[in-house]
């Protein structure tokens, strides 16, 4: 799995599991060096799935149990969309995976995409990319 896709997949899946907006998950992961740990783990355990990473992250963060309500149910759609947007950002700006993910998740648009109720997760990658480029 490409690094960009791995980062986005972990962020979006964890957002879904914990019922937390993905942009906040990304920022938390970056501030606590979890992103570095995910990328390092991929080198050592390339065959592992998202449940492995979620369990590993839970063990480190020791967050509360999964939320009963799920306001971030469309994580699979977001994962595909955000992976495309991050790839476009990386290509345009010559970013590595972490830089491209940072550019995306730090944008105001990422906050809108993270919330199911906005419907932004249904937009095309090119449209989301264009909005980010104008911020």
């Amino acid at each position: 799995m490409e690094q960009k896709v791995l980062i986005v997949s972990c962020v979006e899946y964890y957002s879904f599991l914990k019922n937390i907006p993905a942009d906040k998950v990304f920022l938390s992961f970056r501030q606590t060096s979890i992103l570095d740990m995910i990328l390092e783990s991929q080198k050592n355990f390339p065959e592992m799935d998202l449940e492995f990473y979620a369990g590993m992250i839970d063990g480190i963060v020791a967050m509360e149990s999964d939320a009963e309500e799920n306001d971030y149910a469309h994580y699979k759609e977001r994962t595909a969309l955000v992976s495309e947007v991050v790839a476009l950002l990386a290509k345009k700006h010559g970013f590595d995976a972490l830089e491209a993910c940072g550019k995306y998740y730090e944008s105001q648009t990422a906050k809108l995409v993270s919330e199911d109720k906005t419907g932004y997760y249904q937009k095309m990658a090119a449209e989301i990319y264009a909005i980010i480029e104008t911020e």
Side-chain angles (χ1 to χ4, degrees), residues 14 17-18 52-64 66:
Y14 209 73
L17 289 176
K18 298 300 178 178
F52 166 80
Y53 290 104
M56 180 179 68
I57 294 163
D58 259 353
I60 290 168
V61 214
M63 293 181 83
E64 294 182 18
D66 295 350

Side-chain angles (χ1 to χ4, degrees), residues 32 37 125:
T32 57
M37 180 192 64

Side-chain angles (χ1 to χ4, degrees), residues 40-58:
E40 187 62 33
S41 295
Q42 183 192 31
K43 292 176 189 173
N44 297 322
F45 308 106
E47 70 284 352
M48 296 314 225
D49 60 10
L50 286 177
E51 286 78 17
F52 166 80
Y53 290 104
M56 180 179 68
I57 294 163
D58 259 353

Side-chain angles (χ1 to χ4, degrees), residues 114-130:
S114 289
E115 299 286 340
D116 283 1
K117 63 186 175 196
T118 66
Y120 270 60
Y121 68 91
Q122 297 172 319
K123 294 186 180 288
M124 300 298 294
E127 184 178 358
I128 298 297
Y129 167 79

Side-chain angles (χ1 to χ4, degrees), residues 4 17 26 56 74 96 99 106 113:
K4 292 183 287 289
L17 289 176
F26 177 82
M56 180 179 68
H74 296 281
D96 65 24
E99 291 170 325
E106 291 169 3
V113 175

Side-chain angles (χ1 to χ4, degrees), residues 52-128:
F52 166 80
Y53 290 104
M56 180 179 68
I57 294 163
D58 259 353
I60 290 168
V61 214
M63 293 181 83
E64 294 182 18
S65 63
D66 295 350
E68 290 187 20
E69 292 186 33
N70 193 354
D71 298 325
Y72 308 99
H74 296 281
Y75 76 96
K76 290 182 181 177
E77 293 93 332
R78 266 196 305 280
T79 298
L81 171 66
V82 174
S83 293
E84 286 183 55
V85 173
V86 167
L88 291 169
L89 290 167
K91 183 176 180 181
K92 168 72 176 183
H93 299 284
F95 292 152
D96 65 24
L98 203 50
E99 291 170 325
C101 288
K103 173 79 171 168
Y104 170 77
Y105 283 111
E106 291 169 3
S107 73
Q108 293 301 310
T109 306
K111 293 176 184 175
L112 296 170
V113 175
S114 289
E115 299 286 340
D116 283 1
K117 63 186 175 196
T118 66
Y120 270 60
Y121 68 91
Q122 297 172 319
K123 294 186 180 288
M124 300 298 294
E127 184 178 358
I128 298 297

